[in-house]
Amino acid sequence: MNLSQRDRAVNWHPYTQMKTAEDAIAIVKGKGIYLFDDAGKQYIDAVSSWWVTLHGHAHPYIAQKVSEQLHTLEQVIFAGFTHEPAVRLSENLLKLLPENQKKVFYSDNGSTAVEVALKMCIQFAYNMGKQKTKILAFKHAYHGDTFGAMSVSGRSAWTQPFCEMLFEVIFIDPPTSENINELKSIIQKHSEELACFIYEPLVQGAAGMLMHASEDLSELMRLCRANGILMIQDEVFTGFGRTGKLFAADYLEEQPDIMCFSKGLTGGTMPMGITTASNRIFEAFLSEDRYKTLFHGHSFTANPLACAAALASMELLLKKETLCAIDLICKKHQSFSEELMQHPKVEHVRQTGTILAWEIKNNTRTSYFNETGKAAYRKFLERGIIMRPLGNVLYLVPPYCITSEELDVVYRNIMEVLDELEVLQS
């Protein structure tokens, strides 16, 4: 049996109906923007392997730093112990975040970073002697697949089997200049029972790369602040340069109470989650009463290897060459978006930084289950390009090491696939 056949015999893949799925493509090597399968075919990874690979695959500097750490300290319990990579990573990250972010709590992926944030907010109220158990979130949100994260994500076919087990959330539309007054009335009505507001800033990724304006979000944040509602800013996707700035927070006029990070945190090298908090949040847990402790932890909290990878990735991110590369991608996307807008099969072209998205026209509503995306996915694979459409929503989130010429190759193939594509009305 080849690797793909062996895989089917033993593995269960995410977001995959294994009954009807084709054999998984066996990847044996990665270098820069490219992945190579076991037949020697080369693919451009145009979605950064689920939005995590900032600097390209098998980056030698990150590999070097992880290797050095591996020979020094690979793991130590983080309850009652600490180590240099964790302290230095926290110091370096906090310098880049809004000035009110003062403490770092480590976990191991985006969902758990969100779980930690939700527990912080609910227990914050509890420790202060208040009962605030409802959450405010955006419609069509996605914050992860664990139960707390799933609860604050939009209700959909993904969550249907568990709907009776999810806690109560008040869902609102993302803010616009037209609906802001309506949102204000909802928030004021429920302010006394809302523990927090959780949101994806500027871009709702899994919802289909839905985008909203920074000024509208800032106004909504001001309203939450005025009504004593804590704010969780989920930058798992948008963090580390994806929006064109280091963080979506850099576009906003208001500061969140808590922030969540993962995905690009380690440059895509290994799993890690981070939840940062303001001193106000942290101090609500400081007490002689041990029952006011944040009782949360993971075996691999602040894993030294993951910290080493994150430190190396952050060092690369802050280099002038990387910042110029991010700027190049933003400008190239902006120029290409104008070409996309002219295509008869395309609508709703939108961009935030290095994230470019558009929809293929069809007679049904935009949906994750729209079959048009599957056809496009296969056509791109045939051409040696990895894209993962969200139904009829196509998007680009390339690694920062992609060159202008390589972007042109991707753009050209996109236009050719659009020309060939038979739009399925389902």
Side-chain angles (χ1 to χ4, degrees), residues 119-138:
K119 289 177 73 172
M120 284 178 176
C121 289
I122 293 169
Q123 191 174 341
F124 174 89
Y126 180 86
N127 285 0
M128 303 292 280
K130 299 178 180 179
Q131 278 292 110
K132 288 191 167 191
T133 56
K134 291 184 180 178
I135 312 293
L136 185 71
F138 285 151

Side-chain angles (χ1 to χ4, degrees), residues 6 66 92 126 129-130 185 225 235 241 255 289 296 365:
R6 289 165 55 201
V66 171
N92 291 358
Y126 180 86
K130 299 178 180 179
S185 65
R225 180 75 67 213
E235 294 230 26
Q255 297 179 344
D289 181 355
H296 191 100
R365 66 184 180 86

Side-chain angles (χ1 to χ4, degrees), residues 164-424:
E164 297 301 320
M165 306 173 73
L166 304 179
F167 51 72
E168 188 172 355
V169 175
I170 298 169
F171 289 104
I172 60 173
D173 289 313
T176 66
S177 57
E178 288 77 24
N179 72 8
I180 194 71
N181 288 330
E182 178 186 351
L183 299 184
K184 285 180 179 180
S185 65
I186 295 172
I187 289 171
Q188 289 167 343
K189 177 182 177 181
H190 296 282
S191 61
E192 291 301 313
E193 54 190 350
L194 284 170
C196 61
F197 168 41
I198 184 169
Y199 55 93
E200 300 158 274
L202 308 188
V203 185
Q204 293 182 269
M209 300 298 171
L210 302 179
M211 300 180 186
H212 52 271
S214 59
E215 55 269 27
D216 296 326
L217 179 56
S218 293
E219 185 170 355
L220 192 60
M221 292 171 71
R222 275 192 293 274
L223 180 65
C224 288
R225 180 75 67 213
N227 282 272
I229 300 167
L230 298 177
M231 289 175 282
I232 301 171
Q233 187 152 304
D234 180 352
E235 294 230 26
V236 167
F237 173 38
T238 56
F240 305 102
R242 287 298 183 197
T243 63
K245 296 187 180 184
L246 290 181
F247 301 97
D250 297 329
Y251 290 92
L252 300 171
E253 299 166 9
E254 296 293 319
Q255 297 179 344
D257 299 280
I258 293 173
M259 299 179 74
C260 302
F261 306 95
S262 188
K263 289 198 181 291
L265 173 60
T266 67
T269 305
M270 56 186 64
M272 172 172 268
I274 278 179
T275 307
T276 64
S278 67
N279 271 335
R280 179 175 176 235
I281 301 295
F282 179 70
E283 288 168 0
F285 292 80
L286 297 181
S287 174
E288 297 297 327
D289 181 355
R290 293 183 63 188
Y291 290 99
K292 290 190 175 182
T293 301
L294 177 63
F295 292 110
H296 191 100
H298 299 269
S299 301
F300 290 96
T301 293
N303 173 258
L305 301 177
C307 288
L311 282 163
S313 177
M314 199 178 305
E315 188 178 339
L316 292 171
L317 177 65
L318 297 176
K319 284 182 175 291
K320 181 180 178 181
E321 299 92 325
T322 306
L323 298 177
C324 288
I326 290 172
D327 186 58
L328 171 71
I329 295 169
C330 295
K331 289 176 178 175
K332 293 276 291 185
H333 277 358
Q334 187 173 8
S335 178
F336 179 58
S337 67
E338 295 173 5
E339 185 177 354
L340 272 175
M341 288 177 191
Q342 305 305 314
H343 199 284
K345 296 178 185 175
V346 170
E347 61 184 352
H348 305 313
V349 180
R350 49 198 181 267
Q351 179 198 358
T352 297
T354 69
I355 307 161
L356 176 65
W358 64 97
E359 295 175 28
I360 299 173
K361 291 180 181 178
N362 65 113
N363 291 335
T364 59
R365 66 184 180 86
T366 296
S367 167
Y368 178 83
F369 297 100
N370 188 292
E371 293 293 323
T372 302
K374 288 185 179 180
Y377 173 72
R378 294 189 187 97
K379 285 184 177 291
F380 283 117
L381 283 180
E382 291 168 3
R383 292 166 171 268
I385 297 174
I386 298 175
M387 293 181 66
R388 189 177 171 83
L390 297 161
N392 62 311
V393 177
L394 275 65
Y395 66 89
L396 287 176
V397 185
Y400 302 149
C401 60
I402 196 167
T403 65
S404 178
E405 293 75 20
E406 289 163 340
L407 271 172
D408 287 336
V409 170
V410 174
Y411 294 155
R412 183 174 66 251
N413 277 276
I414 287 171
M415 299 305 287
E416 290 174 357
V417 167
L418 287 171
D419 288 340
E420 295 173 6
L421 199 61
E422 180 182 348
V423 180
L424 302 175

Side-chain angles (χ1 to χ4, degrees), residues 64-81:
Q64 173 195 334
K65 291 301 182 180
V66 171
S67 177
E68 290 171 2
Q69 185 60 47
L70 185 60
H71 287 84
T72 303
L73 175 68
E74 86 300 345
Q75 170 65 4
V76 63
I77 182 175
F78 207 61
F81 296 85

